[in-house]
Amino acid sequence: MKPFLYRSSAILLTTSLLLPVASAHANTIAANKAVSVSAQGNLAALAASKDAKLSKDAALAIANRIVPSQGLELKSVSFRSPDSWRNFPEWSFSWEKKVPDKNEVQTYYSVSIHANTGELTSYSYHDQENANLPYAKRISYDEARKQAESFLATYNAGKAAQTKLYLRSAPTPKTPLYANSTYSFSFARVVDGIWFIENSAEVSVNSAGKVVGYSLMWNDDIQFHKPSSQISEDEAKELLKEETKPSLAYVIPWEAQGEMREKPVLAYTNPFQFVIDAKDGTALNQLLAPRSEASDPEPVSAKSLSARHKGKALSQEEAIRMASQTFNLSGYELRSAQYSESEYRGNRPVWDLSYEKKGSQDYDYAHVSIDAATGDIYSYSKRPNKPLAKDGTTRKLDTDALKEQAMDSIRKWTPTTAHEFYWNEHSAANVRPGDSSEQTLVFQRYVGDVLAASGSASVTFDAQTGEIVSYHAEIGKEKYPSQPPKHLSADKAADAWWDEAEIEAVYVMEQLSPEDQKKIQTQPSYIPKREAKLVYRASATLFDEPYFFDAVSGDWRSQSTGKTVALHRAAPSDLEGHPAAKELLLMYEYDALSLIDGKIVPEKTITRGEMIEMLMISINQGRFFPVYSAERKASFSDVSNQSRYFAAVESAVDRGLLDKQSSKLNPDEAITREELADMIVRALGYHNLAQYSEMFQSDLSDIANSKKRGSIVIATTLGIIPTDKQKFQPAASVSRADAAISFSRFLEKRSEQDTNPIVYR
């Protein structure tokens, strides 16, 4: 859902300013000029809307048919003129209802109406009273989809007829673990049977089945170029396959910490970063320019270069002198000098020098960052803090000339790492000379012949003067082997990615011309004509998170956690008709349970580790728990940092779900009923209360001697763990089915107590 925005071109009014004002006065106000909330604001809004087909009252009448305004107060009205972001005029209204005797909003609505067609363009709704829905009453994804389809058909039937639910932008979400979740749906535009994803209606539905958000992103003035003759999908597939040439890259999972951050994984990442022109089969990059013939990356330097400085670390005076000798800082005076003994760039000693232009009323600044040990320049910037002159012209910069100048600068300014920076296909694809006031060239870091997990050098040129106005060079702290480990070939990787690929024909918006880019920057009301090209593209299997192909093991691994993932989940063969099928599938969906010979085996006992993992996933909003660094000492001797359960167990210890009363946890042993009760009560935040077990009465005859009596009474009284009302059997094991049922009831009770519980030690 795209947020509801008041753009800078919108004119805002309060309800006290909704009375009509003579249009003669309105003609004196510029339509796009921001005006304060006053009588002048009312005049400005009228002036801005003078060319719109719908008046404020007509648009408000339409909005009132969408919002049940009884009991609500109209709080604001605004009008936004067309611009390059949304090329249609728009009336916007908002209502609220406050909690009686409190200055607190209970219910809120906002609605935007197309000021020419009367279509609904934006909608937002929140009701504080209905925010805490019981978990058991949440609707399913399919039910939410029907609500989204109904809303679109009811309130914008015209766009409903031109769109279809697009399912390839995001995977079907997992069953939510919280009642206050939201489902999002994208209804993409279809033109002559072909997807145009860049125009869509986005609808969000909450767990109660209420539409809480809607946004229309649409442009009716696009010219669609469908060729009179085009290549077939099969031909496009063969061309895409020919162009699919995965290359090796080192990867660091996003959540990796400590030792994991220092040991990148050799991988083949998603190779489908290009498209095929449907007209003639030309391979195009993401900017829709012809894809250049893939060539070997070109190093900035063929060899390692000598450092700019050797010996003792640079003093402040030496660093300042080196900066002034390297860059034109004439007219600038030093504002500050800061020294870091172990800065983030590979734990390097670095001087950061900041300058200000003498006597300048425009506050022109410059900055230089220098490695105190080598003299390498890590960053430099010198930009005037004032707009370009109106008559300033943008030169057409030659990419090859810029590249040579940038390479020469890297060799001179950062010589010790210049040999690690390379110009590659990615660099060339993102160069757009002459389309803005600046042009940036990016060089990526390589280790040998393999793209590094981090590190790059960027050089930015002023398009008018050709001067370098910004420079940045950085390598990470991770460690690489002298040679890549033995790995699978690029052909094997291509086959693996193509096993997960689908082909589709789509319209893609052409890039704006340099002239249009400039007009948009200088003329806020300028609306360029847009064109769309028909292309074929390949997309990989959708998954909960981005993933990569491990070049050594051949596994698919999460880009976030680094864990091995299964892109296709087999359905258990033994759950049909089982009374706990729904609950067991929930735990299987989140990988807390694994299949055994294709079966989930409901009567198999659940282990301590499995139950801890599922509880921690639920506490973390359905995401996995933190990734701990190598420095983290294991809380239990039998759950090392190599264990599947290490992160879950350590997170459970940190959040008070586990006590370190013994040296071992035995994660692969069956959990007992009293242990399950204690974990659940802790997860609900009632552990401190459970310590006063003498306060609780119970008819259960076998729990008097249990150290977890308080937790047992709370868990059974809440109906989370079932009993025969006579005995609890504290030491008995728990089947997967019983654990799944208890977990589901825990989710229900948690939503009744607090949608975001605090776990106390």
Side-chain angles (χ1 to χ4, degrees):
M1 168 66 187
K2 297 175 177 61
F4 180 80
L5 298 174
Y6 286 115
R7 303 281 294 175
S8 60
S9 58
I11 308 299
L12 179 66
L13 296 78
T14 62
T15 49
S16 63
L17 301 173
L18 298 179
L19 297 175
V21 177
S23 59
H25 296 290
N27 292 331
T28 64
I29 306 297
N32 288 309
K33 184 177 180 181
V35 182
S36 61
V37 179
S38 62
Q40 187 181 10
N42 199 15
L43 294 170
L46 290 173
S49 64
K50 64 184 177 62
D51 295 325
K53 294 181 180 179
L54 288 182
S55 66
K56 170 186 67 66
D57 291 336
L60 182 59
I62 296 171
N64 277 325
R65 293 199 291 268
I66 300 170
V67 174
S69 55
Q70 186 174 2
L72 299 173
E73 180 185 359
L74 182 63
K75 295 297 293 183
S76 68
V77 177
S78 68
F79 180 85
R80 188 194 53 77
S81 299
D83 56 28
S84 58
W85 181 70
R86 285 165 86 85
N87 72 334
F88 50 81
E90 193 175 44
W91 284 105
S92 296
F93 311 91
S94 70
W95 295 259
E96 19 178 270
K97 176 183 179 182
K98 292 191 175 179
V99 178
D101 303 322
K102 291 183 180 180
N103 189 27
E104 182 179 330
V105 176
Q106 175 181 303
T107 307
Y108 171 82
Y109 284 93
S110 70
V111 171
S112 294
I113 301 296
H114 195 303
N116 285 338
T117 66
E119 291 179 303
L120 176 67
T121 58
S122 180
Y123 171 89
S124 181
Y125 161 77
H126 175 74
D127 191 322
Q128 184 175 310
E129 267 192 356
N130 298 325
N132 295 328
L133 177 78
Y135 181 76
K137 293 185 178 181
R138 74 195 187 285
I139 65 169
S140 67
Y141 171 83
D142 288 335
E143 291 170 320
R145 174 181 52 79
K146 291 175 183 176
Q147 293 285 23
E149 291 171 340
S150 175
F151 181 91
L152 182 59
T154 301
Y155 296 115
N156 199 333
K159 293 300 184 280
Q162 298 180 61
T163 60
K164 288 184 181 179
L165 181 61
Y166 188 67
L167 299 174
R168 296 178 67 175
S169 58
T172 301
K174 291 180 178 179
T175 303
L177 297 177
Y178 276 77
N180 59 348
S181 56
T182 301
Y183 301 98
S184 297
F185 303 91
S186 178
F187 296 88
R189 185 176 181 179
V190 180
V191 180
D192 296 329
I194 297 170
W195 292 108
F196 179 52
I197 315 302
E198 290 163 276
N199 278 186
S200 65
E202 310 289 327
V203 185
S204 298
V205 182
N206 68 11
S207 293
K210 293 283 189 180
V211 172
V212 294
Y214 162 89
S215 179
L216 181 69
M217 301 302 296
W218 206 272
N219 186 338
D220 281 317
D221 295 328
I222 296 173
Q223 184 176 357
F224 293 92
H225 294 290
K226 185 175 183 180
S228 55
S229 62
Q230 66 186 68
I231 63 174
S232 68
E233 184 174 302
D234 288 340
E235 290 172 317
K237 183 174 183 179
E238 290 306 312
L239 291 168
L240 283 163
K241 280 190 171 184
E242 289 176 15
E243 290 285 335
T244 303
K245 299 171 183 176
S247 56
L248 286 170
Y250 285 107
V251 172
I252 297 176
W254 301 328
E255 296 180 8
Q257 298 177 19
E259 189 177 59
M260 285 185 67
R261 287 214 66 83
E262 297 178 1
K263 293 184 177 180
V265 180
L266 190 63
Y268 288 104
T269 55
N270 191 332
F272 306 129
Q273 306 300 320
F274 64 97
V275 297
I276 294 294
D277 192 322
K279 180 180 179 180
D280 55 18
T282 301
L284 307 173
N285 62 30
Q286 292 180 314
L287 300 177
L288 297 187
R291 195 183 192 205
S292 59
E293 184 68 27
S295 57
D296 291 335
E298 181 183 353
V300 169
S301 174
K303 61 181 181 179
S304 178
L305 303 175
S306 299
R308 303 174 79 230
H309 171 75
K310 294 179 181 179
K312 292 176 62 177
L314 291 168
S315 66
Q316 177 174 319
E317 292 73 18
E318 290 171 327
I320 294 170
R321 184 163 56 250
M322 180 173 284
S324 62
Q325 290 171 349
T326 306
F327 305 105
N328 178 13
L329 297 173
S330 176
Y332 285 78
E333 60 184 13
L334 186 70
R335 296 175 63 241
S336 67
Q338 181 177 341
Y339 179 71
S340 299
E341 183 68 41
S342 181
E343 208 226 21
Y344 71 93
R345 298 179 180 91
N347 293 322
R348 304 295 303 172
V350 173
W351 280 105
D352 283 304
L353 309 175
S354 295
Y355 298 82
E356 182 178 348
K357 196 168 188 179
K358 298 175 184 176
S360 173
Q361 296 182 349
D362 298 311
Y363 302 103
D364 294 355
Y365 297 110
H367 176 267
V368 181
S369 181
I370 303 177
D371 188 306
T374 65
D376 277 355
I377 303 297
Y378 287 139
S379 65
Y380 160 72
S381 63
K382 189 179 76 171
R383 287 189 176 92
N385 190 26
K386 57 185 178 183
L388 295 171
K390 290 184 179 180
D391 58 352
T393 57
T394 300
R395 300 191 311 169
K396 183 173 179 60
L397 302 176
D398 179 75
T399 302
D400 290 336
L402 290 181
K403 185 179 78 170
E404 290 305 317
Q405 185 179 347
M407 284 183 161
D408 186 55
S409 298
I410 296 171
R411 288 191 290 266
K412 289 179 180 177
W413 296 347
T414 318
T416 64
T417 55
H419 63 288
E420 295 190 43
F421 296 126
Y422 284 67
W423 178 267
N424 63 9
E425 184 184 12
H426 173 83
S427 305
N430 285 282
V431 172
R432 290 180 276 183
D435 68 348
S436 67
S437 60
E438 294 182 349
Q439 180 64 66
T440 300
L441 276 66
V442 178
F443 299 80
Q444 293 181 291
R445 183 190 179 198
Y446 279 71
V447 177
D449 295 327
V450 182
L451 183 66
S454 69
S456 65
S458 63
V459 187
T460 299
F461 296 87
D462 185 295
Q464 287 190 29
T465 65
E467 177 187 3
I468 294 177
V469 294
S470 177
Y471 175 83
H472 184 81
E474 180 177 340
I475 61 172
K477 296 186 291 185
E478 64 270 16
K479 299 172 183 177
Y480 295 91
S482 56
Q483 294 292 328
K486 186 177 180 181
H487 55 273
L488 299 170
S489 68
D491 288 341
K492 289 282 188 184
D495 289 342
W497 279 105
W498 270 101
D499 285 343
E500 301 298 332
E502 291 185 39
I503 306 296
E504 64 179 347
V506 295
Y507 280 113
V508 180
M509 197 90 79
E510 298 263 22
Q511 294 293 310
L512 287 170
S513 68
E515 293 76 16
D516 281 337
Q517 288 270 4
K518 187 174 181 180
K519 286 182 180 179
I520 287 173
Q521 292 174 2
T522 58
Q523 304 174 35
S525 61
Y526 175 71
I527 302 174
K529 297 293 184 183
R530 302 306 304 269
E531 298 181 345
K533 178 189 286 288
L534 181 61
V535 301
Y536 287 100
R537 68 181 182 184
S539 56
T541 296
L542 292 172
F543 194 63
D544 302 328
E545 53 191 314
Y547 55 90
F548 61 86
F549 183 73
D550 189 314
V552 176
S553 68
D555 294 325
W556 296 108
R557 294 177 63 175
S558 164
Q559 178 67 69
S560 177
T561 65
K563 290 185 176 182
T564 299
V565 297
L567 301 183
H568 304 280
R569 185 178 296 276
S573 61
D574 59 342
L575 283 190
E576 187 173 354
H578 193 283
K582 182 179 178 181
E583 292 82 359
L584 284 162
L585 282 172
L586 176 64
M587 294 190 73
Y588 174 55
E589 190 176 7
Y590 282 92
D591 294 312
L593 297 179
S594 54
L595 299 185
I596 302 171
D597 296 328
K599 298 180 180 180
I600 210 160
V601 196
E603 300 313 312
K604 176 180 170 61
T605 56
I606 195 166
T607 68
R608 220 170 263 114
E610 288 171 334
M611 200 65 223
I612 292 169
E613 194 168 57
M614 193 65 222
L615 283 170
M616 293 314 302
I617 289 172
S618 74
I619 287 173
N620 282 284
Q621 299 275 0
R623 296 185 69 255
F624 287 91
F625 13 81
V627 177
Y628 288 92
S629 69
E631 289 74 33
R632 172 77 181 208
K633 185 178 179 181
S635 298
F636 302 95
S637 62
D638 56 352
V639 189
S640 71
N641 59 12
Q642 301 301 312
S643 168
R644 160 190 169 178
Y645 301 118
F646 178 74
V649 167
E650 296 306 316
S651 186
V653 169
D654 289 347
R655 303 194 74 154
L657 267 70
L658 290 175
D659 280 336
K660 295 188 291 184
Q661 295 179 344
S662 62
S663 61
K664 291 187 175 182
L665 180 68
N666 299 314
D668 296 318
E669 288 187 2
I671 194 171
T672 65
R673 284 170 58 82
E674 66 177 356
E675 288 173 334
L676 177 61
D678 188 56
M679 281 186 198
I680 286 176
V681 167
R682 286 171 181 261
L684 286 171
Y686 296 150
H687 177 59
N688 287 345
L689 180 63
Q691 303 307 299
Y692 300 95
S693 62
E694 68 278 2
M695 295 174 53
F696 305 112
Q697 293 185 351
S698 175
D699 294 331
L700 297 172
S701 62
D702 60 347
I703 65 171
N705 296 324
S706 173
K707 294 181 179 179
K708 305 184 187 304
R709 181 181 182 278
S711 293
I712 292 171
V713 176
I714 292 173
T716 53
T717 302
L718 291 174
I720 295 174
I721 300 180
T723 69
D724 61 6
K725 297 185 180 181
Q726 295 179 6
K727 292 185 177 182
F728 181 75
Q729 298 179 301
S733 60
V734 182
S735 71
R736 286 181 160 192
D738 286 345
I741 291 171
S742 293
F743 177 70
S744 183
R745 291 176 179 176
F746 154 72
L747 294 177
E748 293 175 12
K749 293 301 176 182
R750 180 180 64 178
S751 74
E752 293 175 9
Q753 307 303 318
D754 188 345
T755 55
N756 291 288
I758 300 174
V759 179
Y760 297 98
R761 292 182 183 276

